[in-house]
Amino acid sequence: MQTIDLTKLRAFTRETGQPTHPEMLDTTPMEHVNEIEITEEHITVTYNERINRSYNANEIVHREWSYKYNDDPEFVRAIGKVIDLARKHLKDLPENIACPPGCAECCSGYEPFVSRGDVQRIADHLHLTYDQVFKDYVVPRKSADGFYVGYLRKVDDDIASKCIFLKGPRSGKYYCGIYPARPGDCRDFSPIGCEDVDTSLSRNARHEIGAPFMPRHRKQAHNGKRRSRR
Ligand code: SF4
Ligand code: SF4
C-alpha cells in the first residue's frame, strides 16, 4: 500500500492559516520518462505520456515535473556528472563521416525535390529546355510555398528504384550522371552520420567515373549518326 506524506501540507496550513488540498498532490509514480530538459537553473521531466488515438486527431497527455535544482547540491552534483559524460564524449565521431566510393544508397532511397532553379540548371547542363527537363525527368509536385516544382524521376515507377540520373552498374560503381548540376537537395545531403551507407563497400576501392548522363533523344541521334557512318 502506498503511503502519502502529508506532514508538509499540514505544516504549511498550521504556519500560514491557509487551507491545503491533499487531493492536489499528484502521487502517480514516474514510470516512463519521455523527455528531460535541463537549463542552467531548472530540470523538467516529462513522463507517463499517453496517446489516445481517434481516426482524425490524437490526444496526447503527459505529466511534467519541474524543479529549480541549482539550490540543491545533490542535484548540482548529479547534473555535473552528466556534463562530465558529455565532455568525455564530445569528440566521439559518428559511424559514417564520408561516402565510400560508389555508394549511392541515398540516390534510390530518397526523391530529391527540385526547385525551378534546379530544373533550369539541369536543363542548361544537358543543353535542353526547362520544359523538356521538367517533362522527362521531373514528377510534378508543387510545394505549398511554390519553391519546389516536383521531384526527380526514378528509372521506373517504383519509388524505391534508382534516380534516373544515377549511372554505373552496381553499388560501388555508381556515380551521379549530372553531378555538377545536381539539385540542391542532393548537395545538402550529408554523409555525416548517414545511416543509409552501404557498409559492404571498401573505402579504399578505386572508383572510376564513366560517361555523364545523356538525354535519350540525343543518345538516339548519336547512335543514328554512328550507324550512318558504316
Ligand atoms: S554514404 Fe550516405 S550520403 Fe553517402 S552516398 Fe552513401 S547513402 Fe548517400
Ligand atoms: S541527381 Fe545525382 S546525386 Fe541526386 S539523386 Fe540523382 S544520381 Fe543521386
Side-chain angles (χ1 to χ4, degrees):
M1 198 178 89
Q2 194 186 11
T3 45
I4 305 168
D5 183 4
L6 299 175
T7 15
K8 283 189 181 161
L9 286 182
R10 290 203 189 101
F12 183 86
T13 301
R14 235 184 353 261
E15 282 162 24
T16 64
Q18 290 181 344
T20 47
H21 305 280
E23 70 278 8
M24 286 190 69
L25 200 59
D26 185 346
T27 55
T28 311
M30 188 184 284
E31 282 174 343
H32 182 206
V33 172
N34 305 101
E35 196 179 309
I36 302 175
E37 186 188 87
I38 302 172
T39 65
E40 280 168 297
E41 291 188 357
H42 291 88
I43 175 163
T44 305
V45 179
T46 304
Y47 63 102
N48 295 9
E49 186 176 286
R50 208 181 62 238
I51 304 176
N52 298 321
R53 297 190 190 280
S54 302
Y55 289 133
N56 57 336
N58 296 324
E59 182 193 32
I60 302 170
V61 185
H62 65 252
R63 288 184 150 73
E64 191 181 282
W65 172 81
S66 197
Y67 183 59
K68 187 173 184 308
Y69 75 83
N70 62 340
D71 287 335
D72 180 334
E74 191 183 4
F75 242 105
V76 170
R77 273 198 304 279
I79 290 174
K81 275 192 184 166
V82 172
I83 295 169
D84 284 346
L85 279 173
R87 287 185 179 128
K88 188 174 147 194
H89 288 278
L90 192 61
K91 291 179 186 162
D92 287 1
L93 291 176
E95 273 189 25
N96 195 63
I97 51 176
C99 306
C103 175
E105 292 294 303
C106 53
C107 299
S108 30
Y110 300 89
E111 303 76 52
F113 279 93
V114 285
S115 64
R116 288 192 152 273
D118 288 325
V119 177
Q120 190 59 60
R121 190 171 53 254
I122 296 169
D124 293 344
H125 180 76
L126 296 176
H127 304 291
L128 298 173
T129 66
Y130 180 100
D131 288 346
Q132 279 172 314
V133 169
F134 192 76
K135 179 171 155 289
D136 290 347
Y137 306 122
V138 176
V139 178
R141 184 183 291 169
K142 218 170 164 181
S143 60
D145 62 4
F147 183 70
Y148 290 120
V149 292
Y151 57 90
L152 289 188
R153 280 190 192 284
K154 301 297 186 118
V155 287
D156 54 36
D157 288 340
D158 185 350
I159 203 81
S161 292
K162 294 186 300 181
C163 168
I164 195 150
F165 294 122
L166 188 65
K167 302 247 317 169
R170 61 174 189 279
S171 189
K173 300 281 178 194
Y174 286 141
Y175 63 96
C176 175
I178 56 159
Y179 191 76
R182 69 199 186 287
D185 237 10
C186 305
R187 289 159 200 262
D188 290 345
F189 208 90
S190 169
I192 299 172
C194 173
E195 291 177 358
D196 299 306
V197 56
D198 182 347
T199 48
S200 69
L201 295 179
S202 159
R203 296 196 175 263
N204 304 318
R206 251 173 78 95
H207 185 239
E208 279 170 21
I209 306 287
F213 177 87
M214 205 179 279
R216 206 176 311 142
H217 70 272
R218 206 161 345 121
K219 240 193 270 180
Q220 278 159 0
H222 184 70
N223 289 345
K225 206 167 163 193
R226 240 197 291 175
R227 266 200 302 274
S228 68
R229 271 198 199 134
R230 282 188 207 140

